[in-house]
Every structure is written in C-alpha cells, then in structure tokens.
Amino acid sequence: VFKRFVEIGRVAFISFGPHAGKLVAIVDVIDQNRALVDGPCSGVRRQAMPFKCMQLTDFVLKFPHSARQKCVRLAWEKENINEKWAATRWAKKIEAREKKAKMTDFDRYKVMKAKKMRNRIIKHEMKKLQKMSSKKGKKPEKSEKPEKSEKPEKSEKAPKSEKVQKAPKAQK
Amino acid sequence: MAGEKAAGEKKPGEKKPGKKKTDEKKPAEQKASQKEVGEKKKKIKKHHASRNPVLARGIGRYSRSAMYARKALYKRKYTAPETKIEKKKKEKPRATIIKPVGGDKNGGSRVVKIRKMPRYYPTEDVPRKLLSHGKKPFCQHKRRLRASITPGTVLILLTGRHRGKRVVFLKQLGTGLLLVTGPLVINRVPLRRAHQKFVIATSTKVDITGVKIPKHLTDAYFKKKRLRKPKHQEGEIFDTEKEKYEITEQRKSDQKAVDSQILARIKKVPQLRGYLRSTFCLSNGVYPHKLVF
C-alpha cells in the first residue's frame, strides 16, 4: 500500500515554508513529528524540519544515520540526485506550472495561436480518417496514427514548443 | 593705499594683510578697487579708509545718518542706466481703442475705453482669504508616468470605445495623457489620447527609437471642439452644431506619417501584428490579479 517510507537517506521535497521547493535528505528522526534534515546540494542547512512540510520522493541515499554533511553531499553527488530529479515528471510539472504563471499577455496570445493551429491539424486528420472509414465501409483504421504524425508538426514552432507542450500538458 | 594701487595687479597677497588691519572695511570697496585697477579707468579713484572707527566688534562710532553726512552721500547719488525693460515699461499701454460702429449717420466709429471704471462697489468688503499653501492650478501640477509605461510599450485600453484593444504608446503629452496609436490599419485606433489610469501596461515593447513624432501633436490638437454661436434661433440649434465628427485631412496625414514608421518596426517582431489586432478579454478561471502582463 505504501511505497515511500521515511528512512535515513530518503530524499524529500519541501512543499511549504522558507525552503519551499527544495530537496533534502532525511538524516535522522528526532521524534514523531520532526526529522533532522540536510540539503547540501540544494542550499538547505542542516536543521530540524517537521514531516508535514516534506513530501517523500522516490530517491534514497545510502549513508548512516547522523552522518555529517560531507557524507550526505558525497552520497548525493554519487547518486546524481539533482539530475535525476530534473528528469522526473514531478519536477517537470512544477517547472511547467511556473512557466505558465510567468507568461506575459503576448505569450498567452502566442500559445493560443499555437494551440488553435495544432487542434486544427488534428481535427483535419480525424475528419479525413472518418471519411475514409465511412467510405470504405468498416475498415478499422487506427486513430492513433494521426497523433504520431502530429508530433513532428508541433516541434516546428521552436520557441513556442516549450510553452505549448508544457502548458497544455500541465493543464491535463 | 598707494602701495595697494601700485602693486594691485601683481600681488594679491599684499591685500590680505591690508584686510586684516581694518576689519570693518567693506568688502565691496575692496572688490571695486580691484576691478578698477584691472579696467584702468582714466580717473583713478582713491579709496578712503573707513570713516567709522570701531568701538567694539560690530559697533561703529557714528550712526547711519552721521555716516551719510560724513561720506557726503548727499552729493553722491547715482542711478543705474535705464535698461531695455524699463524703456519698454515706459511705453504706456493704450487707454482707448477705436471701434467701428454700424448703422446710418452714426459717424462710423466710436472711441471706447479699454479699462473701464467698476460698475458696482459692494457695501461690504470681500473678506480676506486665508493663506493657502501648495494649491497649484492644473497647468502646474506634477505629471507622473508609471515606470512600466515607456515609449513603445503595448498598452491595453480599458475604457472608451476602443476598450480591450491593444495599442502602442508613443509619448506623454503636456497634460499627462498618453498619446497612443493603433496603428490604424491594424486595429482602427487612430492617434488618440488615453488616460494612464485606465490602461494596462504590458511588458511587450516595440522598439520605437528613432521614430519622429510631429511636434504639433499636443493637447490642443486633440481637444474636442465645440462651436457655440447660436443666433437666437430656437429649434434648429441642436442640429447645426458639430454632431458629426469629421476626420480632417491633417489628421489623416499625421496618422500616415506616424504609422508608417511604426508599422515597419512591428513587422520585425513575429506575431506582433496579430497580437495588436486581437482584443483582451477575461474568461472563466482568469483572474487579473494573478495574470502577469
């Protein structure tokens, strides 16, 4: 039922508080509510932190309990947590959300135009397929094909592709 | 004093000990003496030492009137040469003017006073107004401009018939209103004034350096004109006055002149033209306080 546990070396994401948005490793458990936490590679000093503001990630590091910061840092860099984190969907969603919030009025217009064009292309292909299937009479055409052909067309718009792909994905 | 005269130009240092001896010596006399030596007047004037011996610091032996007599100022009265301004002031303003008069056998003209005597004297004097401080008329008010609004910024108009339209900011006029243009071919907004408070400044900017805006575009140019000369004809008064606004040729030419320069710069930015054509609107889930403009 539970897959992520609070253990020594568990990497956690801080959701609120002064260090919101940073990653830390659990070094030791103080009592039922607090843990000794350290984030040498993310700019968090070694301190006690309540569990409530931590959200556990999938990453676990290997170091003994109450290890000093140097050991935590070594383990962190050995596992390359920063890069692994950036590759997770979780981190990407956060980034997409931030980008969306920073959009200016002009950016919003560009995204709107890009989305409109993309939807038109998809609709066009769908209609084509529907027509073909109705004409040829029950030839099961896979509707997944047009989606694959859509992706290279999307990537044409290089500057907007970041926001276009991330913004609608973030919505979903 | 002779020693000062001779070595006046060469040794400014010598004058300093001279100053120290007579504390009460007027600095004006010293400077005048220096100037005169420099200018080499024909009459080399000898300057007398102070005629008012010092009793204590700041206190002279003789009073003002005694000094007047001692210095013989009664025969030393000079007037400054009359300046051009004073000469102009001497020209008295006209008191009367000759106005033509119609009608037969009337003599054709009358001599009319320009400044007439008051026709009414109130029995009670107008009470003196209390002093007020810092209440300036509108023309002297300080005009401010938000830091987010710079020439070339794209603004969103919020009020007026062009509400929701995105528009390019050109400059701030003398009364503080913003001069703004569509450009006309893009969104049908002409050269127009907009109020700073009823405008959202976006962070999108068009590079407007080098665009020359004609200097005759001022507040007076844009002010609404109202003709009011009813010749006491009731019934048709409301029709004859300007109900239909007509675009003058000057406005058209000014619009062309400004827009041609701006359009060239708008074309350089991709999609900006379409952006200016679109209108701003809010929809479900869109909150202005959360939007970044």
Side-chain angles (χ1 to χ4, degrees):
Chain A
V1 179
F2 291 105
K3 289 174 196 156
R4 299 174 185 160
F5 298 97
V6 169
E7 49 195 317
I8 311 292
R10 172 69 65 180
V11 174
F13 173 80
I14 304 175
S15 54
F16 60 85
H19 296 286
K22 296 183 189 162
L23 290 178
V24 263
I26 296 175
V27 173
D28 206 350
V29 171
I30 299 169
D31 61 8
Q32 202 204 5
N33 304 320
R34 294 179 301 152
L36 178 62
V37 119
D38 198 356
C41 303
S42 53
V44 181
R45 287 207 183 157
R46 178 174 272 236
Q47 60 193 260
M49 195 173 279
F51 287 117
K52 275 195 177 172
C53 69
M54 286 190 271
Q55 294 174 352
L56 305 178
T57 65
D58 285 329
F59 307 119
V60 188
L61 300 171
K62 269 229 124 188
F63 51 78
H65 77 107
S66 315
R68 52 196 253 261
Q69 187 168 51
K70 188 175 174 185
C71 300
V72 177
R73 186 193 291 272
L74 276 176
W76 192 294
E77 280 168 2
K78 189 174 169 201
E79 293 284 321
N80 225 344
I81 298 290
N82 284 340
E83 283 183 22
K84 284 189 187 171
W85 168 251
T88 59
R89 285 183 175 268
W90 186 348
K92 286 184 191 164
K93 273 192 266 171
I94 293 170
E95 206 201 321
R97 220 179 295 141
E98 281 175 17
K99 274 199 175 169
K100 195 177 179 192
K102 268 195 223 166
M103 270 204 288
T104 72
D105 197 42
F106 192 22
D107 292 333
R108 259 173 264 131
Y109 168 79
K110 287 191 240 178
V111 167
M112 182 264 286
K113 284 284 172 185
K115 272 209 252 176
K116 206 172 173 187
M117 202 183 287
R118 172 179 176 252
N119 289 337
R120 273 217 187 121
I121 295 167
I122 294 174
K123 218 193 267 181
H124 182 65
E125 289 294 317
M126 271 300 292
K127 295 270 163 150
K128 268 207 282 185
L129 290 169
Q130 282 174 354
K131 244 192 184 180
M132 284 208 300
S133 67
S134 67
K135 266 188 182 177
K136 290 181 181 177
K138 292 183 186 176
K139 263 199 180 178
E141 297 274 358
K142 282 187 183 174
S143 57
E144 290 170 24
K145 270 190 189 174
E147 283 183 32
K148 287 179 188 171
S149 68
E150 266 22 275
K151 280 177 188 176
E153 293 184 69
K154 246 198 283 170
S155 61
E156 281 169 16
K157 301 150 211 158
K160 299 155 228 158
S161 62
E162 292 180 335
K163 297 197 175 175
V164 168
Q165 286 169 15
K166 286 185 181 175
K169 277 183 187 176
Q171 277 178 357
K172 287 170 186 176
Chain B
M1 284 309 292
E4 252 192 84
K5 227 201 308 158
E9 286 179 84
K10 296 171 194 172
K11 293 180 188 176
E14 256 193 80
K15 288 184 182 171
K16 281 181 188 172
K19 258 192 181 177
K20 281 180 187 171
K21 285 177 190 171
T22 53
D23 302 25
E24 306 308 313
K25 207 172 196 180
K26 293 175 189 174
E29 277 183 4
Q30 279 259 310
K31 283 180 189 173
S33 69
Q34 288 177 24
K35 273 186 197 170
E36 281 184 345
V37 171
E39 285 171 9
K40 288 183 184 173
K41 273 195 175 176
K42 287 181 183 176
K43 263 193 175 180
I44 301 166
K45 290 191 175 177
K46 281 189 177 183
H47 283 279
H48 199 280
S50 170
R51 295 176 212 269
N52 196 357
V54 173
L55 298 173
R57 192 167 83 129
I59 305 171
R61 169 69 184 79
Y62 301 102
S63 69
R64 267 185 200 268
S65 44
M67 282 310 299
Y68 188 89
R70 288 172 65 97
K71 290 202 287 190
L73 291 176
Y74 52 85
K75 50 174 169 173
R76 284 207 269 165
K77 293 186 183 173
Y78 310 109
T79 55
E82 200 187 78
T83 57
K84 283 184 191 173
I85 302 166
E86 283 177 335
K87 272 188 190 168
K88 274 191 182 175
K89 273 194 178 173
K90 273 194 178 173
E91 297 172 17
K92 272 192 171 178
R94 284 208 55 94
T96 61
I97 195 171
I98 299 171
K99 281 203 164 172
V101 155
D104 268 351
K105 295 191 203 168
N106 246 339
S109 63
R110 295 277 182 275
V111 177
V112 175
K113 271 192 182 178
I114 292 176
R115 307 193 71 212
K116 300 182 194 130
M117 299 300 291
R119 61 174 183 267
Y120 172 67
Y121 289 97
T123 47
E124 279 181 41
D125 281 330
V126 180
R128 237 192 163 176
K129 285 189 179 172
L130 296 166
L131 287 172
S132 72
H133 163 76
K135 308 284 182 287
K136 289 186 182 171
F138 179 71
C139 55
Q140 288 176 28
H141 283 175
K142 246 191 189 178
R143 321 286 176 192
R144 285 170 227 270
L145 188 61
R146 287 199 289 222
S148 51
I149 302 179
T150 61
T153 314
V154 173
L155 306 173
I156 301 175
L157 300 177
L158 295 173
T159 56
R161 55 172 59 221
H162 298 290
R163 61 193 86 100
K165 291 199 182 166
R166 296 185 173 104
V167 125
V168 176
F169 168 69
L170 297 175
K171 65 186 259 202
Q172 189 181 31
L173 301 171
T175 50
L177 297 169
L178 312 176
L179 176 60
V180 129
T181 180
L184 190 67
V185 283
I186 294 181
N187 53 17
R188 291 301 289 169
V189 176
L191 279 167
R192 205 171 201 264
R193 296 187 292 177
H195 191 110
Q196 210 189 134
K197 281 267 172 188
F198 302 109
V199 132
I200 296 180
T202 63
S203 50
T204 320
K205 307 216 190 255
V206 185
D207 187 19
I208 262 196
T209 54
V211 164
K212 286 180 192 169
I213 301 164
K215 284 201 175 172
H216 58 263
L217 300 175
T218 61
D219 283 294
Y221 176 90
F222 289 105
K223 193 160 171 65
K224 283 193 186 151
K225 279 110 196 166
R226 292 192 188 174
L227 299 170
R228 283 253 154 196
K229 278 187 181 177
K231 292 188 177 176
H232 299 284
Q233 279 177 4
E234 290 188 10
E236 282 191 15
I237 296 175
F238 304 112
D239 289 341
T240 53
E241 288 167 27
K242 248 192 195 176
E243 54 159 48
K244 229 320 180 159
Y245 168 70
E246 274 143 14
I247 309 165
T248 61
E249 285 303 315
Q250 198 201 19
R251 287 238 183 182
K252 290 186 191 174
S253 62
D254 288 331
Q255 185 75 46
K256 249 194 190 177
V258 174
D259 276 0
S260 53
Q261 299 175 56
I262 296 178
L263 274 170
R265 286 156 223 263
I266 289 176
K267 279 190 180 173
K268 288 185 191 169
V269 183
Q271 300 202 307
L272 187 60
R273 195 162 191 271
Y275 176 57
L276 290 173
R277 286 189 72 201
S278 63
T279 49
F280 174 77
C281 60
L282 295 172
S283 59
N284 264 352
V286 176
Y287 306 110
H289 69 286
K290 289 213 160 173
L291 288 179
V292 168
F293 282 102

